[in-house]
């Protein structure tokens, strides 16, 4: 099973990308979590430019999503919402609306912020956007507040309770993939 990890942060030392690396370590046997790194290259959404062939970076995004069984998003919170570049990428991914690559795909959302709440508002916004696109948004939240004290490149996600919650979210995401596969096979 292949899970694509999408970080909403472009920052080289991003806590959210670090959270995805922790998720990759916690993925069950047989589940590969690959972190997508093309967010920076996505051009501003332009409906005039949303034609075939798509801009190369957008085609790569759509292919990466289509090649996954599920997607795990880790988002920072910018001014109580999701980062503009993440929303921009999702606007590209959402077209064509009826057949977009995330339609019916299991997705889950986690997040980290330097504030105390762990990007909960951004996570809620992201779940709303993904739901509007037709993705199957799995319940479950991991909100890493005060991220610099809990996440770093050397130790990863040190907090045992947060690790357990993150493992639960990944397990639920994988379960949703199996349910979808069974429904398709039936
Ligand atoms: C433009 C901007 C807006 C921000 N707004 C919020 C906010 O509304 N709530 C919050 O908890 N943190 C906010 N932050 C702090 C981010 O949570 C923090 O920079 C976080 O580390 C970003 O995630 P990253 O480490 O994955 O890049 C903001 C940061 C920036 C740069």
């Amino acid at each position: 099973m292949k899970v694509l990890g999408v970080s909403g942060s472009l920052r080289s030392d991003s806590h959210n990308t670090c959270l995805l690396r922790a998720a990759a370590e916690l993925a069950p046997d047989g589940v590969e979590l690959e972190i997508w790194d093309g967010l920076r290259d996505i051009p501003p959404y332009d409906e005039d430019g949303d034609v075939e062939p798509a801009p190369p970076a957008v085609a790569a995004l759509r292919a990466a999503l289509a090649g996954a069984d599920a997607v795990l998003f880790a988002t920072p919170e910018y001014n109580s919402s999701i980062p503009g570049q993440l929303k921009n990428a999702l606007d590209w991914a959402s077209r064509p609306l009826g057949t977009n690559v995330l339609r019916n795909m299991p997705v889950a959302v986690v997040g980290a912020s330097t504030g105390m709440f762990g990007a909960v508002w951004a996570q809620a916004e992201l779940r709303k956007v993904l739901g509007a696109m037709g993705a199957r948004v799995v319940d479950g939240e991991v909100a890493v507040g005060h991220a610099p004290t809990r996440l770093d490149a050397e130790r990863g996600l040190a907090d045992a309770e947060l690790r357990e919650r993150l493992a639960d979210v990944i397990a639920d995401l994988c379960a949703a993939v199996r349910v979808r596969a069974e429904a398709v096979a039936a």
Side-chain angles (χ1 to χ4, degrees):
M1 189 182 298
K2 187 166 172 187
V3 177
L4 192 70
V6 175
S7 171
S9 175
L10 299 174
R11 213 164 62 83
S12 55
D13 204 18
S14 160
H15 296 108
N16 284 279
T17 307
C18 188
L19 187 56
L20 287 178
R21 280 192 219 105
E25 282 172 17
L26 293 168
D29 286 349
V31 176
E32 182 202 349
L33 194 156
E34 180 193 317
I35 300 176
W36 178 66
D37 68 354
L39 184 61
R40 183 182 298 278
D41 301 328
I42 303 292
Y45 183 80
D46 175 357
E47 200 168 348
D48 290 336
D50 193 358
V51 291
E52 287 300 328
V58 172
L61 164 65
R62 289 175 176 156
L65 294 170
D69 298 299
V71 185
L72 178 64
F73 290 88
T75 186
E77 186 164 286
Y78 284 180
N79 299 305
S80 306
S81 187
I82 61 178
Q85 184 64 346
L86 176 59
K87 176 65 164 55
N88 180 56
L90 288 173
D91 289 338
W92 279 110
S94 72
R95 300 286 147 165
L97 187 58
T99 56
N100 79 70
V101 283
L102 283 178
R103 187 162 289 281
N104 293 321
M105 187 177 286
V107 298
V109 175
V110 297
S113 74
T114 49
M116 67 187 290
F117 296 114
V120 286
W121 286 316
Q123 292 190 49
E125 295 250 321
L126 182 50
R127 290 188 190 97
K128 181 182 73 175
V129 171
L130 292 165
M133 292 170 64
R136 294 190 187 178
V137 185
V138 168
D139 284 339
E141 182 170 88
V142 178
V144 185
H146 300 305
T149 66
R150 289 164 153 167
L151 271 171
D152 65 51
E154 274 171 29
R155 292 176 306 141
L157 182 60
D159 185 304
E161 194 184 326
L162 287 171
R163 285 177 70 82
E164 199 174 315
R165 249 185 266 164
L166 184 57
D168 285 348
V169 167
I170 302 162
D172 289 349
L173 188 59
C174 295
V177 171
R178 285 189 284 272
V179 167
R180 183 188 183 195
E182 282 163 18
V184 169

